[in-house]
Amino acid sequence: MSARAGEPFDIARAVADVEALLAAPLPAAGPTVADGDPVTGEWTVTTGQGFRIVPLWEGDAPGEADEAEETADAQLAALTGELDARWGGHRQVAVHVALLLREHDERVPALFEALLDEDCYGDLSAWGPVSAPGRWVGVSVGRSDGDAPVVMAAVVSDRPIVAPDPPSWL
């Protein structure tokens, strides 16, 4: 669960959160660390070498899985449209290759490992570079399984957001 559980989706807040994320410092080195709310322990931010990931919204506990995913997809489309208007068209970055690598105990890039650790399995809509210091942005929505809530997350990186190379056995 994330610190955004129970909050209604608000596109203006989501855009403001992405803008704040762009302005946040990114660690140049060090391990990947996920932090939680000091009271509830719910996920608030993950930082790693050159990136930061935050939850933007979390759906209610699963009910009608199809309805929850349709709602989340519509919200992501609205956010993606707002960000496309700012930075031009996005490109899709697949996350499933990282999941396959993880399942086969192969090396997964730290950014994708962090996304998977927070159950952010949805493909990323990505832009970049989007600002003077050369930052890339990605947003996604997804869930780890039918029993988990849908989570919308944003990532900012100081390097291009690209899918890992597929393994030779794929």
Side-chain angles (χ1 to χ4, degrees):
M1 301 244 335
S2 78
R4 296 293 189 176
E7 292 181 8
F9 179 74
D10 179 318
I11 191 154
R13 183 187 49 82
V15 169
D17 287 349
V18 170
E19 289 175 346
L21 190 59
L22 270 170
L26 301 177
T32 299
V33 177
D35 290 323
D37 181 277
V39 175
T40 65
E42 294 172 333
W43 175 52
T44 57
V45 62
T46 298
T47 56
Q49 185 173 355
F51 67 87
R52 180 178 294 265
I53 307 167
V54 298
L56 297 176
W57 171 82
E58 182 176 316
D60 295 328
E64 286 292 321
D66 290 341
E67 184 179 318
E69 289 181 13
E70 286 174 13
T71 298
D73 287 342
Q75 292 167 339
L76 180 65
L79 177 59
T80 301
E82 287 288 323
L83 299 177
D84 280 348
R86 292 168 190 263
W87 302 317
H90 65 279
R91 60 187 168 68
Q92 288 299 112
V93 177
V95 175
H96 71 275
V97 172
L99 185 58
L100 287 171
L101 290 169
R102 179 189 250 188
E103 289 174 350
H104 288 89
D105 296 322
E106 299 216 15
R107 184 188 162 286
V108 177
L111 170 63
F112 288 89
E113 188 75 39
L115 287 166
L116 296 176
D117 284 348
E118 297 304 334
D119 295 336
C120 297
Y121 293 172
D123 289 345
L124 291 161
S125 297
W127 299 262
V130 298
S131 61
R135 294 213 175 174
W136 285 259
V137 175
V139 294
S140 73
V141 67
R143 70 169 94 210
S144 59
D145 61 43
D147 294 331
V150 178
V151 175
M152 182 183 299
V155 59
V156 168
S157 176
D158 65 3
R159 55 206 72 174
I161 299 173
V162 295
D165 291 330
S168 60
W169 48 261
L170 187 60

